[in-house]
Amino acid sequence: MTSNNALIGLWTETSLHAGAGGSVEGIDLPIQREAHSSWPCVYGSAVKGALRAKAEDKFGKDNTSIKFVFGPDSDSDSASEHAGALLVGDARLLLLPVRSLNSHFKWVTCPAILERLQRDGRRLGIPLDFALPQKIDKTKVLLAEIDGNDLFLEEYRFSTEEAELTNMVQTLSRLSGIDESTLTAQLVIVHNDQFNYLSRYATSVAAHIAIDNNSKTVRKGALWYEETLPPETVLYCALSAYRSRDDKNSLPADAILNCITQDLLGASPYLQLGGNETVGMGWCKVAINQHQQA
Amino acid sequence: MSAPLYQNYHVHEEKPDNAHAGLWFDRFFNRYRVNNQDWEIPKPNDHQDAKRDWTKTVSGPVGQDKQLAEYTERQTALVRHLNGRNQRYQTDWHFVTGMGNPHPVENGFSWHPTLGVPYLAGSAVKGLVRAWVENNDDGLPIAEQKERLKRWFGTENKDDVAEQTGGFIFFDAIPDQKPNLLCDIMTPHMGDWYSDGDQGNVDNAIPADWHEPVPIPFLAVKKARLVFGIAPRLPALAEELDAVFDALTNALEWLGAGAKTAAGYGYFSPDANFLHEQEAAFARQAQALAEQRRQATLSPIDKKIEDFLKPIQAAEHDTRLLQALEEGAWQGEDAKVVAQKIKTLMEDAGKWMPDFTGENKKKCKFKQRSQNVLKYLQG
């Protein structure tokens, strides 16, 4: 069965809270993370739900393409007739914005993340050609341009090393929609272990309270700590489309993919992911990368 | 959350110029002293006050103008895309938010994670507008007001399962230029009474004038302008957007945002210039886009002609082009295109007269020039 694929880059415009449920380490509302790496992510089910919600808003709930692409409404009687033709992967972390004493923030990533990005690209037939960074010392960071100063990420001090990142910057720029000069100035590559630490402890955790309007004091028990991915986080998500699974009115794979990449996201390149929509969270700018067939 | 860094970390003594001020504020407090193997912050004396002196290292303008402007542009584009609207408000006086966050100088501060400036989170904006609507009925009957609360903000009681989410999206309010911070001082006169008054039996737990006043320094915003954004979540609510903005304006003018509103902090007034500035900016963007589109349709030679003519006054366009053509700047097909362009320019200026028969010196010159162009046109 042939499939058509796309990689969509998600550049968060506002904080993003895709909640994991349950609390950990003093955080009442932690974000979703991958179990094995603890890197933040947004589960594929959440991304698919967000795409479906946007599509239903735009084309109406009864639109037949929506049924082909995402599958029949799970509340309807026809839920068991066929599955959706679109496969939506987890939104995976690519660049994490981390506060710095050298500039307002740096976009931090690590070899393991970049290597996985290339693997995802190969799987989808979307070539992402750049040289992976060689071994990085734990006390060092790689930068496209160094200025002689050590780099502070949060309270950690790193010595800097210049690296040839032109191709990588070009690829990441295409994938994310961030322009090359900004990326060149702000991209930082750290050792995998350091990245793990930063991705765990450099996300923002904000205290929230609820105020009782009559007494103007905090409502009893209403103090909670909520973790978010900060604005400027870059994630990417793999989409694979197959021929629609409804036997009668078959749509080919490229038409299924076009429903998302052109009709849904083409004219309106924003997607709201995760919770707290009404307090402005989760808005991502979408960049579409598709393998161009000759 | 706030522990001293290791000594051999060699951190900066002072906040570096481009630093994220929030990172500096949250992590780099360096005024501890070791006393019997305990970390303590020295008590204030005549010459120095560790908390005040350190708070001053964070005061002054923070953030970077370019980043703030770019961020505002992206946010307003998003809000506009969602059929929402932005409005800018200016602080009337000081403003402070996030004082409950833990910090060695006692009072924390709310910093934007990437921009390093104080801001108001969307949740705070939503709570503020809600407070105004709850307290002020706008002349609505009670039932209708309740309906409005539910429609705008969603179900209030979320204990079981919330029935409905709010109809409006409240975005973070973020400065579009560098805010100015200052080290402010509060001086509670009866600390024991405030902290232990409810214990009843503690000495000094009465509000009386023999208590020692204790000055406590804290970081506050001296001057800032914040851009607020609100968008309807459902298209049907778009017509109520103005009413929501009215509520926001009233709330900022009368209730105040952030902490210490009873002491005059946190009041804002709408900034009338913003809408004009925004319209001008949109017009500029539209013009730039139209120009970009036009440029994209130009052929390479048309583009070259345009670049050539850019620094030259309009009145000299035809003569200078012809001069360059005669000097051999263009060959073959390109030369024809350029000649055609010169012909058009001359026609527009009423100088095209290859067939002139008369004595007028000026017109003879035009005739000569027209004929020269014709040679190129015929190849």
Side-chain angles (χ1 to χ4, degrees), chain A residues 11 13-14 99-101 103-105 152 154-157 208 213 231-232 268 270 277-280 283, chain B residues 9-10 18-20 26-27 67 71 74-75 78 81 113-114 123 126 131 134 166 168-171 233:
Chain A
W11 179 14
E13 301 269 354
T14 60
R99 301 185 292 179
S100 167
L101 285 189
S103 78
H104 56 317
F105 73 90
F152 276 87
E154 290 285 318
E155 67 268 44
Y156 302 99
R157 184 182 187 131
H208 286 259
N213 213 357
E232 316 278 7
S268 142
Y270 291 105
E277 179 185 358
T278 62
V279 293
W283 288 97
Chain B
Y9 233 77
H10 306 298
N18 294 325
H20 186 294
D26 286 345
R27 297 284 163 92
Q67 262 82 34
Y71 197 84
R74 284 169 52 196
Q75 287 269 298
L78 169 62
H81 182 83
T114 49
S123 53
K126 184 175 175 183
E134 274 181 8
F168 286 93
I169 302 169
F170 296 84
F171 287 91
R233 202 175 56 77

Side-chain angles (χ1 to χ4, degrees), chain A residues 67-293:
Chain A
K67 205 177 84 179
F68 294 150
V69 174
F70 298 102
D73 192 333
S74 56
D75 288 338
S76 70
D77 297 335
S78 54
S80 59
E81 282 176 10
H82 62 89
L86 182 74
L87 274 60
V88 184
D90 289 350
R92 295 177 153 180
L93 183 63
L94 181 54
L95 303 172
L96 182 73
V98 178
R99 301 185 292 179
S100 167
L101 285 189
N102 302 62
S103 78
H104 56 317
F105 73 90
K106 294 284 184 193
W107 270 304
V108 183
T109 188
C110 70
I113 292 252
L114 294 165
E115 202 258 315
R116 183 173 70 172
L117 170 69
Q118 287 193 330
R119 253 187 293 140
D120 284 333
R122 276 199 294 279
R123 175 165 62 86
L124 299 170
I126 298 169
L128 303 166
D129 294 325
F130 57 84
L132 282 171
Q134 296 306 304
K135 205 166 166 287
I136 307 174
D137 197 287
K138 272 194 188 181
T139 60
K140 278 191 179 157
V141 294
L142 298 185
L143 303 175
E145 292 161 358
I146 58 172
D147 62 359
N149 293 317
D150 283 354
L151 181 74
F152 276 87
L153 293 173
E154 290 285 318
E155 67 268 44
Y156 302 99
R157 184 182 187 131
F158 298 91
S159 54
T160 58
E161 193 176 306
E162 197 161 277
E164 168 54 41
L165 302 177
T166 317
N167 285 339
M168 188 190 296
V169 163
Q170 274 172 0
T171 308
L172 297 184
S173 166
R174 195 156 36 89
L175 195 60
S176 63
I178 302 167
D179 62 65
E180 288 180 22
S181 61
T182 316
L183 263 181
T184 304
Q186 283 172 247
L187 184 68
V188 173
I189 303 169
V190 301
H191 187 276
N192 291 342
D193 294 353
Q194 305 287 14
F195 186 80
N196 255 30
Y197 193 85
L198 289 170
S199 72
R200 196 157 257 293
Y201 298 104
T203 53
S204 11
V205 177
H208 286 259
I209 54 165
I211 287 183
D212 184 312
N213 213 357
N214 292 320
S215 65
K216 262 281 197 183
T217 54
V218 178
R219 251 186 239 161
K220 208 169 177 336
L223 165 65
W224 69 98
Y225 287 90
E226 185 176 289
E227 184 180 23
T228 54
L229 277 176
E232 316 278 7
T233 303
V234 178
L235 306 149
Y236 69 92
C237 172
L239 298 181
S240 297
Y242 290 88
R243 186 177 57 79
S244 69
R245 285 157 174 151
D246 177 302
D247 290 338
K248 280 162 279 176
N249 311 293
S250 189
L251 277 178
D254 59 335
I256 293 282
L257 192 65
N258 281 348
C259 285
I260 300 296
T261 53
Q262 286 176 15
D263 304 344
L264 186 63
L265 299 171
S268 142
Y270 291 105
L271 187 65
Q272 196 276 335
L273 282 181
N276 298 345
E277 179 185 358
T278 62
V279 293
M281 286 197 191
W283 288 97
C284 305
K285 184 95 187 255
V286 181
I288 293 163
N289 296 263
Q290 231 166 311
H291 176 52
Q292 300 298 328
Q293 268 134 345

